[in-house]
């Protein structure tokens, strides 16, 4: 029954084919490029779904395939792919969301001049992300990791004529680069210590105890730094909100569902490494937990609809890291479960927001309002997304968030539990603030809203269904996902280390979570829906608190002054050094040579007598030399 | 103090004196005259060396023809060129140094070499007849070539010195 | 004291060096030619001296001298002709000004 998994390597190739076709024929195709992209991604999705279904059959072992690629001395580096539980799930998620976004973009990007270019980049991105998830070794992961970063850069800077978009693209690339550096060093260290890039071999080395504890911790933390960059955790979170300069479908695909999830995926796929180091797990958990509440607190005050969603993404990713970090089989499952549900409802939220933006031509929520009647489908799906993310029963988010809280509780991390619950409250609050400001009340905007075309609402509806139903794969009463995820080889390592978590221990925790979220919704309703409590209450009484949140805790300014400006000065200094010292030396050498040349040229003065004098001198030298060296002492001898 | 020695002494004094004066005079005509004296003294030296024919040839060719030729040359070029000094430039100082070096080197070489006396009986006074026989038997080809050379030099000199533009 | 070969060689050497100095330093081209003649004469003295006092005294030295005299005469003629032609073009006989082969 392995037959279908053998062809898993084809899954990334269809989007690559789409990329090549669109690059070659984009100009002729124009909006037909969408059809190419959609079709080939659909084929990929079909194949991914079949592979996933195959993995469901019990007894299917992890499938791995590799080719020798490079030989350096004794070491052989291979390229290949593997299919295991985590992979298969990611393949389905990525292809499905990519497919839906591409369908949506046909409507959203309609009329854009560079329409084929957009689909090109989307196809390239899909290829890279799919390649990343089926990689069996760290080197391949790194290659696709960088490719994904490049695609993000291209897509964020899609509107390259806007200076903010250019700056945002650069920022995204550079900030993630910092994370990538950590990842790269981690990979190099692991290669140095274990002699291989392959996951299987690295995990074996750890299991056999070949690595010292400090080595494992260091490598794990460095790999986590890479994840921090890509997933926008504190302190490398600053690029994600700015990346909203890209078109909304891009935000939905990359910065909500897939690329930012790559960080979480990385931690999950190298989980045996983290399992072996408590310190690394703590780092993951605390960074994740802090980020969750930090980003949520910023999202409370933002005006731009996409930025609120961006901070929400950062916050939810923090949740996933928190879950992975508190250890335990429960944490691993909860983190990956939330990854899946988040992909669906966040993509839904972004696409719905895009639909709104497309209609009213503004992104400022204070200029929207009263769109419920004018855009019913969008409004309904957005509401479903908000309910899902706020964790209301029985939507998907409820089950996954509750799984995380349970895992944290089981691990007895009460400090983190408090952080998580407060962050949940904030999440519910700001999401519904967004909802009420956008859809309820009187229209404040200048443009009349109208419903978006079917090609855009279709994906919204599909994602809404998933946002409702995806949670049921892992309820406490029927933990299908848990059993399935932990049945693979990685799962065995985890359960061996931590034992099988009972998964969802306390029923009271479910109730508490639900209540907290409902509280947030009610507060938002009172402040923004019915306006019983004035929205300006806090900004007026505690302006500094409001400013802290609105200005994102001034972190961007801090980075600019502490890091960017000194680096610019350093660059200037080095440029001057290069120009005057290095170039100066070269020019000096050249001028010295030229000087010597012109000096000697003066000897050619055209006068025969000078030449004669020189000849005489030469003759003298010759005679002296011969007389000194001739046989028998020569001239001056004896 | 033989007569030979005395004669040699006087003649070499005249020779070297003439040469040195030639160098140090400023007016070109004076130079030619002192050079003429040098040539005649050299002829005397030749005679002292039992080379009478060469001595006479020297008088005829050098002090006779060549000195006059030089005077003609002076006349046809700047004949009132009187200022003929050597400057104190770098080139001149170097030349002086080098020439002095050459002199010193050769002097030392001459002193160092042991000049063996010629074997007895080999030195005979060379007569003109002997000279003639040698030229027309052993060295007849160079002799003929020398005459060709003179012809070529004659023709060449005439062509070079002719005024340009003459086409007759 | 006898007059042996070294004396004649010394005389010739002095004449040669004087002539060489003149050839290398004088500014008037005619004077340079004069100095060259001086050098040739020095050579002649050498040749004749060796013809009489050398290792193998023979008449060859004198014959050689005759030939050098011939060549010297030819050279003077041609040299002066060149000088006259040059004077016609440059109206100067100053060798310092004849530097068209300058860099």
């Amino acid at each position: 029954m392995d037959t279908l998994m053998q062809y898993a390597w084809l899954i990334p190739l269809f989007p690559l084919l789409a990329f090549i076709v669109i690059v070659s024929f984009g100009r002729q195709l124009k909006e037909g490029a969408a059809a190419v992209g959609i079709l080939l991604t659909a084929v990929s999705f079909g194949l991914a779904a079949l592979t996933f279904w195959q993995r469901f059959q019990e007894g299917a072992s992890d499938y791995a395939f590799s080719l020798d690629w490079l030989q350096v001395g004794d070491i052989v580096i291979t390229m290949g792919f593997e299919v295991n539980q985590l992979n298969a799930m990611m393949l389905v998620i990525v292809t499905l969301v990519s497919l839906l976004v591409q369908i949506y973009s046909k409507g959203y990007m309609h009329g854009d001049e560079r329409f084929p270019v957009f689909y090109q980049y989307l196809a390239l991105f899909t290829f890279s992300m799919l390649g990343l998830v089926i990689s069996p070794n760290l080197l391949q992961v790194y290659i696709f990791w960088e490719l994904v970063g490049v695609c993000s850069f291209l897509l964020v800077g899609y509107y390259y004529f806007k200076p903010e978009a250019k700056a945002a693209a650069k920022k995204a690339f550079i900030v993630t680069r910092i994370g990538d550096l950590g990842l790269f060093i981690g990979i190099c260290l692991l290669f140095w210590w274990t002699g291989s890039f392959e996951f299987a071999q690295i995990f074996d080395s750890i299991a056999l105890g070949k690595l010292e504890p400090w080595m494992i911790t260091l490598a794990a933390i460095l790999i986590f730094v890479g994840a921090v960059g890509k997933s926008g955790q504190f302190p490398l979170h600053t690029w994600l909100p700015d990346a909203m300069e890209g078109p909304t479908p891009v935000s939905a695909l990359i910065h909500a569902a897939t690329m930012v999830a790559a960080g979480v995926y990385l931690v999950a796929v190298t989980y045996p490494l983290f399992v072996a180091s408590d310190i690394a797990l703590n780092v993951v958990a605390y960074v994740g937990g802090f980020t969750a509440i930090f980003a949520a607190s910023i999202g409370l005050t933002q005006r731009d609809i996409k930025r609120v969603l961006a901070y929400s993404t950062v916050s939810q990713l923090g949740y996933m890291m928190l879950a992975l970090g508190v250890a335990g089989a429960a944490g691993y499952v909860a983190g990956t479960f939330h990854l899946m549900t988040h992909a669906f409802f966040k993509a839904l939220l972004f696409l719905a927001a895009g639909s709104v933006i497309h209609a009213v031509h503004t992104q400022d929520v204070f200029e929207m309002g009263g769109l419920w009647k004018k855009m019913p489908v969008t409004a309904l799906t957005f509401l479903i997304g908000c309910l899902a993310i706020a964790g209301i029963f029985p939507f998907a988010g409820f089950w996954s968030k509750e799984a995380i809280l349970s895992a944290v509780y089981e691990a007895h991390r009460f400090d983190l539990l408090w952080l998580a619950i407060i962050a949940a409250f904030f999440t519910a609050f700001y999401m519904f603030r967004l909802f009420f400001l956008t859809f309820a009340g009187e229209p404040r905007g200048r443009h009349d809203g109208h419903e978006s075309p079917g090609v855009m609402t279709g994906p919204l509806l599909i994602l809404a269904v998933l946002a409702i139903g995806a949670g049921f794969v892992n309820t406490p009463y029927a933990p299908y996902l848990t059993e399935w995820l932990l049945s693979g080889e990685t799962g065995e390592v985890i359960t061996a280390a931590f034992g099988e978590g009972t998964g969802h221990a306390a029923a009271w925790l479910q109730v508490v979570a639900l209540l907290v979220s409902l509280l947030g919704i009610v507060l938002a309703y009172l402040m923004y829906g019915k306006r019983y409590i004035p929205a300006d209450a806090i900004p007026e009484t505690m302006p500094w608190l409001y400013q802290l949140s609105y200005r994102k805790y001034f972190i961007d300014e801090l980075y600019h002054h502490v890091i960017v400006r000194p680096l610019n000065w350093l660059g200037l200094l080095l440029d001057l050094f290069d120009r005057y010292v290095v170039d100066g030396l070269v020019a000096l050498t050249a001028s010295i040579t030229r000087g010597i040349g012109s000096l000697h040229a003066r000897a050619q003065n055209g006068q025969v007598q000078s030449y004669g004098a020189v000849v005489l001198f030469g003759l003298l030298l010759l005679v002296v030399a011969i007389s000194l060296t001739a046989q028998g002492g020569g001239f001056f001898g004896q | 103090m033989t007569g030979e020695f005395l004669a040699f002494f006087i003649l070499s004094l005249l020779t070297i004196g003439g040469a040195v004066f030639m160098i140090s005079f400023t007016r070109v005509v004076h130079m030619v005259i002192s050079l003429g004296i040098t040539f005649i003294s050299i002829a005397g030296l030749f005679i002292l060396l039992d080379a009478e024919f060469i001595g006479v040839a020297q008088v005829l060719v050098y002090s006779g023809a060549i000195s006059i030729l030089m005077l003609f040359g002076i006349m046809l070029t700047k004949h009132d060129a009187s200022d003929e000094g050597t400057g104190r430039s770098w080139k001149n100082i170097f030349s002086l140094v080098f020439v002095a070096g050459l002199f010193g080197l050769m002097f030392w070489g001459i002193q160092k070499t042991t000049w063996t006396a010629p074997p007895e009986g080999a030195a005979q006074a060379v007569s003109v007849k002997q000279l003639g026989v040698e030229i027309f038997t052993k060295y007849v080809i160079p002799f003929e070539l020398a005459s060709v050379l003179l012809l070529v030099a004659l023709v060449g000199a005439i062509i070079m010195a002719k005024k340009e533009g003459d086409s007759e | 004291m006898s007059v042996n070969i070294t004396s004649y060689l010394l005389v010739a050497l002095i004449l040669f060096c004087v002539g060489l100095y003149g050839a290398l330093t004088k500014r008037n081209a005619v004077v340079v030619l004069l100095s060259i003649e001086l050098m040739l004469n020095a050579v002649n003295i050498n040749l004749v001296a060796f013809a009489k006092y050398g290792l193998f005294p023979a008449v060859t030295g004198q014959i050689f001298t005759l030939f050098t005299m011939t060549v010297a005469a030819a050279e003077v003629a041609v040299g002066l002709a060149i000088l006259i032609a040059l004077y016609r073009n440059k109206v100067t006989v100053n060798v310092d000004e004849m530097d068209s082969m300058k860099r």
Side-chain angles (χ1 to χ4, degrees), chain B residues 2 4-5 8 12 15-16 19-20 22-25 28 31-32 35 38-39 42 45-46 48-51 53-54 57-58 61-62 66 69-70 73-74 76-78 81 83-87 91-92 95-96 99 102-103 106-107 110-111 115-116 118-119 122-123 126 130-131 134-135 138-139 142-143 146 149-150 153 156-157 160-164, chain C residues 1-3 5-11 13-31 33-35 37-38 40-42 44-46 48-60 62-63 65-78 80-85 87-89 91-93 95-96:
Chain B
T2 61
E4 189 194 359
F5 180 74
F8 171 76
S12 54
T15 314
I16 293 172
V20 170
M22 187 210 93
I23 289 293
S24 53
F25 277 143
V28 188
M31 286 184 181
V32 174
L35 197 62
T38 303
F39 287 154
I42 289 177
L45 280 176
F46 283 152
L48 212 52
L49 281 169
D50 294 336
F53 184 70
I54 307 293
Q58 164 90 358
V61 173
Y62 273 99
I66 290 182
L69 207 54
M70 287 298 179
I74 290 166
L76 287 173
T77 56
K78 271 207 227 168
D83 282 312
E84 163 49 53
T86 51
K91 171 189 71 155
N92 293 344
S95 301
L96 184 62
V99 167
L102 183 69
F103 179 77
M106 301 301 292
F107 184 76
I110 292 174
Q111 295 297 75
W115 304 101
T116 54
V126 173
Q130 208 177 335
L131 208 60
E134 286 280 324
I135 285 182
K138 244 167 87 171
Y139 299 107
F143 175 73
L149 176 74
L150 281 173
M160 293 276 278
K162 234 166 62 143
K163 275 214 167 68
E164 286 165 17
Chain C
M1 284 212 218
S2 65
V3 183
I5 189 165
T6 47
S7 331
Y8 286 103
L9 291 183
L10 275 175
V11 171
L13 180 64
I14 293 171
L15 274 182
F16 186 81
C17 289
V18 170
L20 187 58
Y21 177 71
L24 288 182
T25 48
K26 290 297 179 184
R27 280 216 307 265
N28 194 326
V30 179
V31 180
L33 280 170
L34 284 178
S35 310
E37 291 310 310
L38 201 52
L40 284 165
N41 271 293
N44 284 346
I45 296 178
N46 246 359
V48 175
F50 274 114
K52 180 160 179 206
Y53 289 119
L55 270 182
F56 304 104
V59 77
T60 322
Q62 297 191 14
I63 295 175
T65 310
L66 279 177
F67 283 121
T68 59
M69 262 194 237
T70 313
V71 172
E75 171 248 323
V76 163
V78 176
L80 276 172
I82 291 176
L83 193 65
I84 288 171
Y87 176 73
R88 209 178 290 137
N89 274 327
V91 197
T92 179
V93 284
V95 291
D96 286 344

Side-chain angles (χ1 to χ4, degrees), chain A residues 379-441:
Chain A
L380 182 63
T381 47
F382 194 85
L383 179 62
I384 292 176
C386 285
L387 288 170
I389 197 173
I392 305 296
F393 177 90
F395 294 91
F398 170 72
W399 301 110
S400 59
K401 195 172 287 195
E402 181 271 331
I404 294 179
L405 291 174
S406 300
V408 176
Y409 176 73
E410 261 192 18
H412 302 290
R413 304 291 202 94
F414 299 111
D415 48 356
L416 289 170
L417 188 61
W418 272 111
L419 275 184
I421 293 180
I422 297 176
F425 170 69
F426 283 164
T427 306
F429 176 73
Y430 66 66
M431 285 312 297
F432 273 90
R433 163 181 180 266
L434 204 64
F435 175 75
F436 287 124
L437 279 173
T438 311
F439 292 102

Side-chain angles (χ1 to χ4, degrees), chain A residues 297-303 308 366 430 433 546 549-551:
Chain A
S297 65
I298 297 181
L300 290 173
T301 52
Q302 299 299 313
R303 301 172 65 122
V308 175
F366 289 111
Y430 66 66
R433 163 181 180 266
Y546 177 76
S549 165
Y550 186 62
R551 298 292 300 272

